[in-house]
Every structure is written in C-alpha cells, then in structure tokens.
Amino acid sequence: MCRKPWDLAFTAEPEEVGALRRIMRLHLVVWGLQDITDRAQLCVSELVSNVITHVGVGTPATLAVSMSGTRLRIEVHDPDTRALPTLLDATPDAECGRGMALVGAVSDCWGVQLRADRKITWCELPTGLPSAEGRTGGTRTSRVEALLSERARERPRSAGTAAAAVEETAVDVMVDVLHWLRGFGRDPDEALDRAQTRFATDVGEADVPGI
C-alpha cells in the first residue's frame, strides 16, 4: 500500500483543531492505520494548540503527515523560530503546560527542527506495520481497493502512482459523504464515530476466509 505524504496549510485558530482531527482520521482510515487514530488526533490537537498558545492566534501554519519507516510522522510548521516547545513539570490539575508531555507519552519520539524561515515540531507514532508498505484489513481491504481503483481511473491524470490516485479517490469519496450528511442536517462527527464503531466490530472478521 502506498502511503503518500500529504500536507495542509491552515490558520492557527481554535476552531481549526476539530477540522484537522477529522482530516487526520480520514487519511488514517485510507492508510489502514485506524488503530492509532486516537493517538494521532491527540498529537494533532496538542501540536496545533501549542502554536495557538505560544505563537499566536491567526498564525499561518502547516500540518504535514508522512511515514517514517513503519512510524507515522506528524509535523506542524509555523514561522516563529523563537517560541520553542518544552516539557514542563505540570501538576495534574494544571490548566496548561501538559501538551508536549501528552505528545511524549503517546509517541515514540518528538522534537523540534529549526529552519531559516520556520520551526517544525514533530512526533512519530508506532503503527505496528511489518514494513512501511505493509497492509492491514484483509479481504475487505482488497475489495474496496478494486472499487476505488475503478473510480480512480476516471480521475484526470496527474503526477503520482496509481496507488496514490486510489488514495485520493478514497478521501474524496469520504469527504463527499460527509458533505452529504451535513447537507441533510446530520452530524458528520457522529457518523464517523458510528462507522468507526462498526469497523471495530467487523475488523475481527476481516481475515476470515469467505468474509
């Protein structure tokens, strides 16, 4: 399975956090990494909140996600090279100061890279994959790949591999469904939660022959 790196520019606003968490969830489902969704969403929340709190509301920033070997790498780029995130010895009832401690607790590693024009705060999460190209999902994954490959062939040709086109098609389909739900007054987050619950029920059957 090709897990193509992606990035998304955003403005550091509190209301952006929820949208970025949903986008992360969608991509992880496409990548077959739904088991680490909660940890990845937590890292996105804390890294983005760190920019909002310590760099400033309205700061232009970028979320970048890629594979680093078998780990999921999450980066948040911002233009302030002075405000460096640090681990603080926050008390359990403290209202702030626990962000990077939480990131450190759920990730294998994290750090900060300074460039001439920006700062990159990153973390890496273990995925449990046997290799960077490893696949999960069994026969159900194979069936969906066949359907998405057919639809991907209808997309305008662009740079990248066929697998990358299928990935983008899957994200497009899920985003279309979420827009459809909202258009009919339904809650996209609730629908995602229900789908995730149903998936969790089905995943134990995924590798059983004939299912």
Side-chain angles (χ1 to χ4, degrees):
M1 177 182 292
C2 176
R3 297 179 175 90
K4 182 182 177 182
W6 58 273
D7 59 73
L8 179 65
F10 66 94
T11 302
E13 304 277 357
E15 53 269 26
E16 287 290 316
V17 176
L20 293 171
R21 286 170 57 91
R22 286 191 292 271
I23 291 169
M24 174 61 79
R25 179 194 288 193
L26 289 173
H27 276 277
L28 291 182
V29 170
V30 171
W31 282 5
L33 300 178
Q34 54 281 335
D35 288 347
I36 64 171
T37 296
D38 290 344
R39 285 176 288 156
Q41 287 184 315
L42 184 150
C43 289
V44 168
S45 296
E46 297 304 332
L47 293 179
V48 174
S49 296
N50 190 70
V51 176
I52 295 171
T53 302
H54 298 290
V55 182
V57 174
T59 298
T62 300
L63 172 66
V65 180
S66 61
M67 293 298 295
S68 176
T70 60
R71 294 172 175 170
L72 179 75
R73 184 179 178 91
I74 302 171
E75 301 178 351
V76 171
H77 301 220
D78 72 74
D80 192 338
T81 58
R82 299 166 301 171
L84 302 181
T86 57
L87 281 174
L88 299 179
D89 186 17
T91 60
D93 57 350
E95 295 183 0
C96 61
R98 295 181 308 212
M100 296 314 298
L102 288 173
V103 171
V106 302
S107 65
D108 270 358
C109 52
W110 70 274
V112 181
Q113 294 177 317
L114 295 180
R115 303 284 175 82
D117 60 343
R118 67 189 186 278
K119 172 173 83 263
I120 303 172
T121 308
W122 59 270
C123 66
E124 294 185 355
L125 302 176
T127 64
L129 293 173
S131 67
E133 295 77 26
R135 111 183 16 245
T136 60
T139 56
R140 290 178 185 247
T141 296
S142 299
R143 289 204 297 266
V144 173
E145 279 185 347
L147 293 172
L148 292 176
S149 295
E150 183 66 29
R151 178 162 173 175
R153 283 194 284 270
E154 301 172 2
R155 293 170 59 92
R157 289 189 177 275
S158 59
T161 64
V166 172
E167 175 188 323
E168 291 303 317
T169 299
V171 173
D172 286 346
V173 169
M174 288 187 284
V175 171
D176 286 345
V177 170
L178 294 179
H179 279 295
W180 181 87
L181 288 166
R182 188 172 66 174
F184 280 86
R186 311 301 294 179
D187 184 351
D189 281 330
E190 180 183 350
L192 282 172
D193 287 338
R194 289 170 58 196
Q196 187 71 27
T197 299
R198 188 172 301 177
F199 174 82
T201 300
D202 291 348
V203 72
E205 305 172 350
D207 295 318
V208 177
I211 295 180

